Amino acid sequence: MTFTAENIFFLGAVLIFASIVISKWGYRFGVPTLLLFLFTGMLFGSDGLGLEFNSHEDAQLIGMLSLSVILFSGGMDTKRRDIEPVASQGLMLSTVGVLITTVVTGLLIYYLLKELQATGGNVDMGTLTEYVTKQVKRQSVVINNKKQTPMVIPSQTLSSSWRNMKLK
């Protein structure tokens, strides 16, 4: 499908109509709107009706607009009394969870760049992965008192060859 202005407006109108119907149906039967929106996205996506995007900018725009609608809907449907019992856990997760994620990601990037600098960028992915995994495992126990094990999960097409790939 070619994404012209007319097609985008038509598809947007169909999706908005579907969102309204889905929201009303979900409210009536007690099904979370987010779950229904996810199923709608799957239905209209490449695995359902076959909408495929040749432009990542178009896909990003539609994804951001969809996320805005989902967040808005979730905010409008949430009652204050539903939030109060879990507010402290939510605040804890949003601060401590983000802090831990930042530290682990920072460690990974630090050791990745350190090894790249030491080798002048002339290193294969297998050696780099082993070095970073070893360093992050060691430092994570020291900093977080928890074992972290970074992993590389390559696609099936690269599963046997990614370790020998050179960065430079």
Side-chain angles (χ1 to χ4, degrees), residues 40-75:
T40 304
M42 291 168 50
L43 174 70
F44 280 92
S46 59
D47 294 333
L49 296 177
L51 294 178
E52 293 187 17
F53 299 98
N54 296 328
S55 166
H56 69 277
E57 290 94 1
D58 291 341
Q60 182 181 13
L61 173 67
I62 291 171
M64 287 172 38
L65 291 174
S66 300
L67 181 60
S68 299
V69 169
I70 291 169
L71 290 173
F72 179 76
S73 172

Side-chain angles (χ1 to χ4, degrees), residues 5-154:
E6 294 84 10
N7 289 343
I8 290 173
F9 281 122
F10 175 71
L11 186 59
V14 168
L15 288 173
I16 289 172
F17 178 74
S19 300
I20 293 169
V21 171
I22 286 169
S23 294
K24 296 298 179 187
W25 184 81
Y27 181 75
R28 178 173 291 156
F29 294 106
V31 179
T33 308
L34 174 61
L35 185 63
L36 295 173
F37 281 153
L38 287 172
F39 285 134
T40 304
M42 291 168 50
L43 174 70
F44 280 92
S46 59
D47 294 333
L49 296 177
L51 294 178
E52 293 187 17
F53 299 98
N54 296 328
S55 166
H56 69 277
E57 290 94 1
D58 291 341
Q60 182 181 13
L61 173 67
I62 291 171
M64 287 172 38
L65 291 174
S66 300
L67 181 60
S68 299
V69 169
I70 291 169
L71 290 173
F72 179 76
S73 172
M76 293 301 290
D77 293 343
T78 304
K79 311 262 185 302
R80 184 179 178 109
R81 68 177 185 275
D82 294 337
I83 296 173
E84 288 173 351
V86 294
S88 60
Q89 292 95 333
L91 287 171
M92 183 69 82
L93 180 62
S94 66
T95 53
V96 176
V98 169
L99 181 64
I100 290 171
T101 302
T102 303
V103 168
V104 171
T105 303
L107 279 172
L108 182 90
I109 292 171
Y110 173 78
Y111 287 111
L112 176 74
L113 293 176
K114 185 175 178 181
E115 180 68 7
L116 284 174
Q117 185 179 25
T119 61
N122 192 16
V123 64
D124 60 65
M125 292 296 291
T127 305
L128 187 61
T129 301
E130 290 166 10
Y131 174 78
V132 170
T133 300
K134 182 176 118 184
Q135 296 300 325
V136 170
K137 271 184 177 179
R138 186 174 52 98
Q139 286 298 316
S140 180
V141 171
V142 171
I143 293 173
N144 296 326
N145 294 326
K146 290 186 180 182
K147 183 179 175 184
Q148 299 284 330
T149 306
M151 294 174 46
V152 175
I153 303 173

